[in-house]
Amino acid sequence: MAGLLTARVLTEHFSRVTIVERDELTGEWAGDPEADPREREVRRGVPQGRHAHGLLAAGLNVVEELFPGAAEELAGAGVPSGDVLGNVRFCASGHRLRQVPIGMTALSFSRPYLENYLRAKVFALPGVRVRGGTDVVGVEADAGRARVIGAIVQGRGAGRAEVLPADLVVDATGRGSRAPRWLAELGYERPREEELHVDLAYVSRHFKVDPALLDGDIAIIIGPSAAAPRGGAVMLQEAGRAVITLFGILGDHAPLDDAGWRAYARRLPLPYVADVIDASVPLDDAVKFRYPGSTRHRYDRLRRFPKGFAVLGDAMCSFNPMYGQGMSVAGVEALRLRDQLALDGVARFDALRFFRSVRPVIDIPWQIATGGDAALPGVNGPRDLPTRMVNRYLERLYAVAARDEVVSLAFSRVTNLLDPPAALLRPGIAARVLAGRRMATA
Ligand SMILES: Cc1cc2nc3c(=O)[nH]c(=O)nc-3n(C[C@H](O)[C@H](O)[C@H](O)COP(=O)(O)OP(=O)(O)OC[C@H]3O[C@@H](n4cnc5c(N)ncnc54)[C@H](O)[C@@H]3O)c2cc1C
């Protein structure tokens, strides 16, 4: 996703953009998800594609900006669509947040379907070419090691590596990025790594779900609570299917067997996901994905970085997927890259300035994810006073948001990365949270 959105951005500044991808890719999008099962095929390079993948409002805004009309086209093709708050049932800490329409679209699709759609758009752009079935194994620098002048690529199964010359190489290879090692090999400092270990596992299955079971909603998300630190999601998808994901942390993972998986769902903080499971028809067996923890590479803190090179997406920062942020943040980063290229010009582009401009883009979702994780028992997250106070405040806010639509809307804007978390402390919201709590305890 980071690579596709970045490629689209780069076509504005470069006459040729080459996407190098280790999987063999087609650039086809059949449109009709009922007709073409390839739309749902999960690639080897993106195994997380089998699991629930939501696009936040901030992410859909990026897609719309880069591909105007995309939301309408996807909804027209049969992707379930609704209102970001009115039709997405979000439950936090055992509270079902109040739902009212706020006039912003949400789409619910499988990751492969969205990716195929965007890939077809990007591959069709003039100047874009694709080297599928090819690994990037390094970067080539000039004699002074001041500038990266190409990517070293190697066809899968083919013997020799070759240099693909480029004015700019962008690493969007995801969480497994080897950019820190390449930097060290060129004599640069590696970026410092921050990690919050959660030992999360997603265990997912697809179901034939009668949409009526969701009562007009397109997705149900049950976040973990301190009392029951496990969660689940039902997301309607194209072709009348739904993905149902159960997740837990620190080894409390959902079992793979049918009975154990269903029993785990029954022990979530609220019954909505288990109720849908019981009334629906399974289409496959459970598949597990383990995720050790959020990882942030502090490229923004480096003092030296070679020209002609940049890193973004999960390669720069990978967020605990429970918060559904990764694709959306990658999209916003791609827009920042566009801004920086416009500001600097291609010849003078400096990735250090780009990394610093992206810092606030990452700070906010990072704070949401690590702060949220820190509220869960056993997670060795930030324990400073501000984080503890914010988490105590949020507990109150969830209870109030269950009946107060103004508070629910404010919270939804923050989780959708439209407003910073500080918006929840504004006097208008704080007064409602505190008054609501007094009412609840009176
Ligand atoms: C279980 C799970 C659930 C998630 N749920 C959500 C969600 O609900 N919402 C959300 O926004 N995000 C979610 N994410 C995160 C999301 O998948 C990523 O943040 C998002 O895809 C952006 O990552 P990326 O494009 O940087 O990397 P990736 O999506 O991992 O893509 C990297 C690409 O690079 C290719 N590649 C890797 N190495 C090489 C190489 N050496 N040479 C050539 N090609 C290479 C891979 O094949 C792949 O195509 C989830 C993640 C997980 C693990």
Side-chain angles (χ1 to χ4, degrees):
M1 292 299 296
L4 287 173
L5 297 170
T6 301
R8 158 67 187 80
V9 158
L10 294 182
T11 57
E12 293 176 18
H13 297 276
F14 297 84
S15 56
R16 192 160 73 197
V17 177
T18 306
I19 299 172
V20 183
E21 163 59 49
R22 67 164 48 134
D23 286 341
E24 291 288 358
L25 301 173
T26 70
E28 292 162 21
W29 181 66
D32 178 0
E34 303 275 358
D36 194 349
R38 280 178 313 177
E39 300 292 10
R40 303 188 289 275
E41 255 169 39
V42 176
R43 307 191 275 115
R44 274 187 67 164
V46 185
Q48 73 266 35
R50 274 190 70 95
H51 303 267
H53 250 77
L55 190 64
L56 302 177
L60 190 56
N61 286 348
V62 174
V63 170
E64 267 296 314
E65 175 155 353
L66 296 177
F67 306 97
E72 204 179 313
E73 191 175 7
L74 285 163
V79 165
S81 68
D83 185 88
V84 162
L85 181 57
N87 303 108
V88 176
R89 193 183 311 171
F90 193 84
C91 309
S93 228
H95 301 282
R96 175 178 173 173
L97 305 196
R98 191 165 161 78
Q99 289 174 257
V100 282
I102 59 171
M104 293 184 74
T105 304
L107 297 172
S108 193
F109 29 50
S110 67
R111 156 74 185 246
Y113 190 79
L114 174 66
E115 202 184 296
N116 287 0
Y117 171 79
L118 292 176
R119 200 190 300 143
K121 296 266 177 212
V122 172
F123 285 13
L125 292 170
V128 170
R129 60 175 202 180
V130 183
R131 295 275 298 258
T134 304
D135 276 321
V136 181
V137 294
V139 286
E140 180 81 357
D142 62 6
R145 299 183 161 193
R147 174 175 283 276
V148 166
I149 54 170
I152 307 172
V153 302
Q154 189 166 28
R156 296 220 122 186
R160 283 167 62 96
E162 58 173 308
V163 175
L164 202 59
D167 295 320
L168 176 64
V169 174
V170 182
D171 178 1
T173 57
R175 204 177 149 85
S177 158
R178 278 172 284 176
R181 204 175 81 194
W182 298 338
L183 282 175
E185 285 166 4
L186 292 177
Y188 290 83
E189 195 189 337
R190 280 168 175 261
R192 192 161 50 76
E193 197 178 306
E194 294 172 6
E195 201 211 1
L196 182 54
H197 180 76
V198 286
D199 183 17
L200 170 77
Y202 268 39
V203 183
S204 306
R205 297 172 77 177
H206 291 89
F207 280 74
K208 189 97 201 146
V209 171
D210 176 357
L213 287 173
L214 276 73
D215 227 0
D217 291 333
I218 57 170
I220 300 174
I221 298 146
I222 299 182
S225 67
R230 46 173 67 174
V234 179
M235 300 189 70
L236 296 185
Q237 296 183 333
E238 67 281 354
R241 300 176 0 140
V243 64
I244 303 189
T245 291
L246 305 179
F247 48 87
I249 58 162
L250 300 178
D252 173 32
H253 299 161
L256 289 163
D257 66 285
D258 182 72
W261 190 79
R262 287 170 188 270
Y264 188 97
R266 275 283 156 221
R267 293 196 299 273
L268 298 189
L270 287 164
Y272 307 124
V273 170
D275 290 349
V276 173
I277 293 171
D278 285 351
S280 304
V281 182
L283 298 173
D284 51 21
D285 292 331
V287 170
K288 183 168 182 171
F289 190 105
R290 280 187 88 151
Y291 180 90
S294 300
T295 309
R296 181 176 186 179
H297 299 277
R298 299 307 306 252
Y299 287 101
D300 56 314
R301 299 254 190 246
L302 293 176
R303 275 162 301 158
R304 278 178 70 241
F305 197 80
K307 299 273 183 297
F309 187 40
V311 180
L312 49 61
D314 279 16
M316 176 150 60
C317 186
S318 151
F319 303 90
N320 178 340
M322 274 170 13
Y323 303 90
Q325 299 169 323
M327 297 191 294
S328 298
V329 176
V332 179
E333 290 167 7
L335 292 187
R336 287 293 161 96
L337 181 65
R338 175 168 78 169
D339 294 345
Q340 200 61 49
L341 281 164
L343 215 62
D344 289 356
V346 169
R348 297 175 60 84
F349 170 75
D350 181 348
L352 287 175
R353 281 196 289 271
F354 162 65
F355 295 141
R356 284 170 201 144
S357 81
V358 161
R359 185 184 293 161
V361 171
I362 293 181
D363 277 349
I364 287 174
W366 182 258
Q367 186 193 344
I368 292 173
T370 58
D373 288 346
L376 301 175
V379 175
N380 191 17
R383 287 266 177 270
D384 52 282
L385 188 63
T387 306
R388 289 202 317 265
M389 282 174 66
V390 165
N391 280 335
R392 268 207 297 276
Y393 176 77
L394 284 176
E395 282 297 322
R396 293 171 194 172
L397 182 140
Y398 300 142
V400 174
R403 45 181 200 281
D404 183 329
E405 62 191 53
V406 174
V407 175
S408 179
L409 166 60
F411 179 72
S412 172
R413 288 188 61 85
V414 170
T415 52
N416 276 284
L417 300 180
L418 299 171
D419 286 337
L424 300 177
L425 300 171
R426 282 183 196 140
I429 300 298
R432 297 179 92 97
V433 170
L434 297 175
R437 179 182 168 252
R438 273 200 295 279
M439 270 160 47
T441 52

